[in-house]
Every structure is written in structure tokens, then in C-alpha cells.
Amino acid sequence: MLEYTGGAPAATQASLSSLFQTAVILRIGTGLLLMTRYGIGAVQNAWHFFFQEKPWAWVPAFHEAGMPYAHLLAPVVAVIIVLVALSWIIGFLTRLFAFIFLPIVITTLVVLHHAGSPRVEAAWLYLIITVTLLLFGSGSVSVDQLFRLGQSGPKKRR
């Protein structure tokens, strides 16, 4: 992100104002929604599917969509959703997890579109947000910024 131009550095900004100038609100809000709407329930259902042998709606849905090994793929997707949501909430390796989440969102979008589901709009929104976080990163209030992860090279001092 362009912090300043010319010889003089930019004035220091208050942390509250920098919170609204980056993708922080988008990242945290999407992470919380992804975790509460899909992640927690999916992991609980995956747990019950594996260890208590209860039926889970995702497995037949994955199988009907033509995905191989649906009984293994559905729990893996549930775990990935929780990891992505947690990553976005705390801002840790945001771009990496957005890259990992991108094929899941695209596949979901295609499957929901062919099924004629009304949830296709939510899939589009998650796709747009995923691409945005992939391009712009976690923002100024994140673990990535704290440890300067994903920034180019060491800073030169004059």
C-alpha cells in the first residue's frame, strides 16, 4: 500500500482511522459470518458423521454433484472452511487462506448454479470477498501486519 510519496513520510494515522481504510472490516465480518453460518455447524456435523456414524446432508449433496470420495471430501471442506474463517478473523496468512478457499467457492458457485439454489447469491458474494482479500491482503490490523508477513523484503533505513 502506498504510504507516502516524496521525501517526507506521511503523518502518523490513528489506529481507529486505519481500521476503516483497509479491508479489516470486510475480513473480520466475513470471517465471523463464515464461521457462524457454515463452519461451526459443518465441523460438528463432520464429527458426528465420522465418529457417531450419523448421516450428514453434505455427503449425498457432494455425491450427487459428481465429486469423488464425497465421504472424505465433505469433512475436509468443513475443516478448510473453519480454518479460513479463523484465519480471516485474526488476519493470519489471509492471502494464502483466500487462495486455498478460492476453489471451494468456485465449485460451490457452479454446483449451486446448476441446482438452481437461491444461495447462489451468497456464493457470489463470498467469491467477490475472497478475490478482494486475495488481492489486498489482511489490512493494517492483523497478525500479518504485526509480524510484517507478506511484505516485500526488509525495510531500508536512511
Side-chain angles (χ1 to χ4, degrees):
M1 178 157 65
L2 184 63
E3 296 289 330
Y4 64 91
T5 57
T12 58
Q13 298 175 347
S15 61
L16 185 61
S17 67
S18 66
L19 180 72
F20 293 105
Q21 293 176 355
T22 64
V24 174
I25 300 296
L26 180 71
R27 174 180 54 82
I28 293 173
T30 304
L32 286 171
L33 282 173
L34 190 62
M35 180 73 81
T36 57
R37 297 277 298 155
Y38 302 102
I40 293 172
V43 167
Q44 287 175 344
N45 289 333
W47 175 268
H48 295 303
F49 175 73
F50 260 126
F51 296 107
Q52 297 175 354
E53 298 180 8
K54 292 184 178 178
W56 182 22
W58 279 23
V59 176
F62 279 37
H63 183 69
E64 289 172 10
M67 295 180 195
Y69 304 107
H71 62 285
L72 297 176
L73 190 61
V76 168
V77 169
V79 170
I80 288 173
I81 288 172
V82 167
L83 291 176
V84 167
L86 184 63
S87 165
W88 288 356
I89 290 168
I90 64 174
F92 179 67
L93 300 175
T94 304
R95 287 184 171 146
L96 174 67
F97 280 98
F99 182 74
I100 291 170
F101 191 56
L102 195 59
I104 294 172
V105 172
I106 292 171
T107 304
T108 303
L109 182 64
V110 169
V111 169
L112 290 177
H113 181 71
H114 286 299
S117 175
R119 292 186 179 190
V120 73
E121 287 138 3
W124 273 110
L125 290 173
Y126 279 113
L127 177 65
I128 292 168
I129 292 168
T130 301
V131 170
T132 301
L133 291 176
L134 185 64
L135 293 175
F136 294 106
S138 59
S140 62
V141 182
S142 64
V143 174
D144 289 348
Q145 185 66 25
L146 181 66
F147 294 110
R148 306 212 186 283
L149 297 173
Q151 294 182 358
S152 61
K155 300 278 183 179
K156 293 183 181 178
R157 294 186 180 222
R158 292 182 186 196

